[in-house]
Amino acid sequence: MRIARFSAGDEVGFGLVDTDDGGNRFVSRLKGHPLLGQIQLTGERAKLEDVRLLSPVLPTKVVCIGKNYAEHVAEMADITGGSTAEPVVFLKPSSAVVGPNDPVFYPALSSRVDYEGELAVVIGRLCREVPAERVKDVVFGYTVGNDVTARDLQQTDKQWTRAKGFDSFCPLGPWIETGLSLEEAADLRITTTVDGEVRQDASTAQMIHGIPELVAYVSSFMTLLPGDVILTGTPAGVGPVEVGQHMTVAVERIGELTNRVVTRD
């Protein structure tokens, strides 16, 4: 299933996204919150083009993994150092989360802002100290993420909170795909384009630490709540974007996430 969070008029809700035989896409409204109860349809349906897609979840925290693709570690060695035996973990605040087609604001404090396309894991139940073999029981599904980064601040600060935590620096969307197994999610093509030009093109099979290991590791020291998101790291090819450009991150079998870089008025 593909579960979207959307607004129509003054109402915000969740819905199932499907496609008819003619290729038209629809969203069927759900009762309540799909992460907090059984999935039930209300009977209301609208064309996808007639609603506004929002970030598919509002996580209490976004847990991010750094240095999880070997070629990316190499290209960033001067800024972040070499590889590590254990996953590198940092957090983005929930205030950084935006949805599909929402603007990403280029902060006045920075002179270089980079895209980082990633596969995002959505947690489906409260959990901690999850063994790797049980991770399948706590993953609700997957979405697409962009770990937008003020690269110059990351380099000067020597830690990543400010560089990664600006408002709008965590686009998520377009929906949650619940139909992938851990094995399937471990081999998906991921691309990032800027104004149509391919900048990143890799596979989640290249991750140093796989999804079961990442969820087990993170949950070993923090409790994960329904709707929390783990960004699994970005492949090689990161680079800057300028005001006015469009970033599109696509993950095979999930969807595309596009956001435009703008300045604040």
Side-chain angles (χ1 to χ4, degrees):
M1 292 185 295
R2 287 179 167 175
I3 298 178
R5 180 170 160 267
F6 68 96
S7 64
D10 295 329
E11 295 186 4
V12 174
F14 291 89
L16 295 183
V17 177
D18 58 18
T19 305
D20 66 15
D21 294 337
N24 301 301
R25 294 193 295 183
F26 295 86
V27 58
S28 299
R29 186 180 292 273
L30 298 174
K31 294 180 180 178
H33 197 301
L35 284 162
L36 302 177
Q38 291 185 339
I39 293 176
Q40 294 180 293
L41 295 171
T42 65
E44 299 177 55
R45 194 183 193 210
K47 289 184 177 181
L48 194 63
E49 63 195 47
D50 293 335
V51 305
R52 178 190 171 199
L53 290 178
L54 308 173
S55 62
V57 286
L58 294 174
T60 68
K61 53 188 171 292
V62 179
V63 185
C64 306
I65 307 299
K67 302 183 180 183
N68 203 26
Y69 288 77
E71 291 183 3
H72 175 61
V73 173
E75 74 178 352
M76 296 297 295
D78 291 344
I79 296 177
T80 62
S83 59
T84 59
E86 294 185 328
V88 174
V89 178
F90 59 96
L91 297 174
K92 281 181 179 279
S94 57
S95 54
V97 173
V98 293
N101 301 310
D102 284 341
V104 168
F105 295 106
Y106 200 116
L109 295 173
S110 176
S111 60
R112 175 171 168 171
V113 171
D114 283 15
Y115 55 82
E116 293 191 8
E118 310 199 10
L119 172 70
V121 179
V122 180
I123 299 300
R125 55 186 288 189
L126 185 148
C127 60
R128 64 182 179 89
E129 299 180 357
V130 182
E133 61 271 18
R134 294 288 305 277
V135 165
K136 66 180 186 305
D137 299 329
V138 305
V139 171
F140 182 75
Y142 303 90
T143 190
V144 183
N146 188 347
D147 176 18
V148 182
T149 304
R151 193 69 70 199
D152 52 342
L153 301 184
Q154 183 185 27
Q155 186 169 21
T156 58
D157 289 356
K158 306 304 180 185
Q159 55 81 32
W160 303 353
T161 301
R162 183 167 65 139
K164 302 279 192 175
F166 283 96
D167 291 354
S168 78
F169 268 28
C170 188
L172 296 173
W175 41 63
I176 304 169
E177 173 59 67
T178 67
L180 296 174
S181 67
L182 287 171
E183 293 75 17
E184 290 170 322
D187 189 10
L188 298 174
R189 186 184 182 193
I190 178 170
T191 62
T192 302
T193 61
V194 177
D195 288 346
E197 178 186 348
V198 177
R199 301 288 184 86
Q200 293 180 290
D201 191 347
S203 169
T204 57
Q206 297 170 261
M207 290 194 295
I208 297 171
H209 306 286
I211 296 167
E213 181 183 354
L214 294 177
V215 176
Y217 183 79
V218 171
S219 69
S220 72
F221 58 87
M222 71 173 72
T223 298
L224 297 171
L225 303 179
D228 282 351
V229 169
I230 298 178
L231 294 182
T232 57
T234 195
V238 300
V241 287
E242 304 297 335
V243 171
Q245 292 188 309
H246 290 81
M247 307 173 287
T248 299
V249 183
V251 179
E252 179 185 7
R253 299 183 62 182
I254 298 176
E256 294 186 352
L257 172 67
T258 297
N259 300 89
R260 183 170 180 260
V261 182
V262 303
T263 56
R264 287 194 184 275
D265 295 331

